Amino acid sequence: MEKIKIIMDVDVGIDDAIAMCLALGNEKFEVLGFTTTFGNRRCEVTTQNTLKILELVGRTDIPVAPGAVRPLVKEYNPPEFSIVHGYDGLGDMADPLPQPTITTCGKSAVQFMADTLRESDEPVTLVPVGPMTNVATLIMTHPELMPKIKEVVLMGGSTIKGNASPVAEANIIQDPEAAYILFKSGLKIKMAGLDATWDGYIAFDELEEFGKANWLSEKIYSMCGIYAEHYRERMKNPGLAMHDSLTLAWLVNPELVQAEDYYVTVDINGRYTYGMTVTDVDNVMKYKPNATVAMGVDRVPFINMIKEAIANLAAQKK
Ligand code: BDR
Ligand code: CA
């Protein structure tokens, strides 16, 4: 079977941690490495969290390269607490994951991406699921490697309303200038944004079942307490949105996602709309579409794909 070669750029994060498990537990992927960024927490924390998850699932062979510690242009106000992900970014579990014994690979995120692209025989897919700072820096510093990027499948944005401002999604508003560079780059882009990821939730009763399935799902269940509370109490959602995993599910099974080609840009000047992914749904501007935008997802097969990958990963390490 031909595998999909990916580099995931993560800001781990509960849904990032689950997406890591999907990537590692689905045989269609060959994960070349994880690069990290600030986002849900400071980069030092998201990097440690990435290492902790790899150690948890016994995949310490995968390189981790630390990346952006702040956005390209805007002021960085590091979150001391993430209302969704907790103080430690992994849900402040009663029995937290131990400090990792493994370390990062000795390269920065951009250096790792550049070297991996250069050395790969085939083009590689980039999967950024945090702020786009590392990818934008790669674009600006290594134009010669753009043909080695097969596509960029990102979690971020929305065609209508946001979750971090009335109109902006969290990953984009944390570094709008970086996302602007990415959407202007000419790279092939798939945008898994809130239009579809809100619908890609694991329902509360399904979560209870999932929590009993195997040792890894038990661990993930205990990670999800604070995340579940957020969606139940504050958002009045029917379940927990698996935002970051949608990128990967879309790659494995494009049929799961209803998508449209649109021209998308990012507002980097607006007072109220800073960080909005402005999407020309009616092609008013007559620009050629630059992104395929996820507009909906078949929820049940999507959630099943996540559960199966986690079960596979659990079976690989008892
Ligand atoms: C995105 O923001 C982060 O909190 C999540 O990990 C996800 O990448 C959703 O807006
Ligand atoms: Ca994320």
Short mmCIF file of all heavy atoms in Angstrom, two decimals, residues 18 28 65 79 101 174 201 242 259 282:
data_model
loop_
_atom_site.label_atom_id
_atom_site.label_comp_id
_atom_site.label_asym_id
_atom_site.label_seq_id
_atom_site.Cartn_x
_atom_site.Cartn_y
_atom_site.Cartn_z
N ILE A 18 -4.97 13.74 20.12
CA ILE A 18 -5.82 12.71 19.51
C ILE A 18 -5.46 12.57 18.02
O ILE A 18 -5.36 11.46 17.48
CB ILE A 18 -7.31 13.05 19.72
CG1 ILE A 18 -7.63 12.96 21.22
CG2 ILE A 18 -8.22 12.13 18.90
CD1 ILE A 18 -8.99 13.50 21.63
N LYS A 28 -2.34 4.04 6.77
CA LYS A 28 -2.16 4.80 5.52
C LYS A 28 -1.07 5.87 5.64
O LYS A 28 -0.61 6.40 4.65
CB LYS A 28 -3.48 5.47 5.12
CG LYS A 28 -4.56 4.51 4.68
CD LYS A 28 -4.87 4.70 3.19
CE LYS A 28 -5.83 3.65 2.69
NZ LYS A 28 -7.18 4.15 2.56
N ALA A 65 10.69 18.24 16.27
CA ALA A 65 11.52 19.44 16.09
C ALA A 65 10.76 20.67 16.58
O ALA A 65 9.66 20.95 16.09
CB ALA A 65 11.89 19.60 14.61
N PRO A 79 -0.66 32.38 26.60
CA PRO A 79 -1.77 32.01 27.48
C PRO A 79 -1.24 31.30 28.72
O PRO A 79 -0.49 30.34 28.60
CB PRO A 79 -2.61 31.05 26.62
CG PRO A 79 -1.64 30.49 25.64
CD PRO A 79 -0.56 31.51 25.42
N THR A 101 11.28 11.15 28.63
CA THR A 101 12.71 10.84 28.76
C THR A 101 13.41 11.10 27.43
O THR A 101 14.63 11.22 27.38
CB THR A 101 12.92 9.37 29.17
OG1 THR A 101 12.32 8.55 28.16
CG2 THR A 101 12.30 9.07 30.51
N GLN A 174 -4.10 33.50 15.87
CA GLN A 174 -2.86 33.54 16.66
C GLN A 174 -1.65 33.96 15.84
O GLN A 174 -0.64 34.39 16.38
CB GLN A 174 -2.60 32.19 17.32
CG GLN A 174 -3.61 31.93 18.42
CD GLN A 174 -3.20 30.75 19.24
OE1 GLN A 174 -2.39 30.87 20.14
NE2 GLN A 174 -3.77 29.60 18.94
N TYR A 201 -17.78 15.91 15.77
CA TYR A 201 -17.65 15.75 17.23
C TYR A 201 -17.89 14.29 17.64
O TYR A 201 -18.58 13.54 16.96
CB TYR A 201 -18.64 16.66 17.96
CG TYR A 201 -20.10 16.40 17.62
CD1 TYR A 201 -20.83 15.41 18.26
CD2 TYR A 201 -20.75 17.16 16.63
CE1 TYR A 201 -22.15 15.15 17.94
CE2 TYR A 201 -22.07 16.91 16.29
CZ TYR A 201 -22.76 15.91 16.95
OH TYR A 201 -24.06 15.66 16.61
N MET A 242 -13.47 17.27 17.26
CA MET A 242 -12.16 16.66 16.99
C MET A 242 -11.48 17.44 15.86
O MET A 242 -11.10 16.88 14.82
CB MET A 242 -12.35 15.18 16.58
CG MET A 242 -12.95 14.31 17.66
SD MET A 242 -11.76 13.95 18.98
CE MET A 242 -12.38 14.97 20.29
N ALA A 259 -16.71 19.34 0.26
CA ALA A 259 -15.76 20.45 0.11
C ALA A 259 -16.06 21.27 -1.13
O ALA A 259 -16.65 20.77 -2.10
CB ALA A 259 -14.36 19.89 0.05
N ASP A 282 -19.10 33.32 -3.35
CA ASP A 282 -19.80 33.56 -4.63
C ASP A 282 -18.86 34.03 -5.73
O ASP A 282 -19.31 34.51 -6.77
CB ASP A 282 -20.92 34.59 -4.42
CG ASP A 282 -22.06 34.00 -3.61
OD1 ASP A 282 -22.25 32.77 -3.69
OD2 ASP A 282 -22.74 34.74 -2.88
#
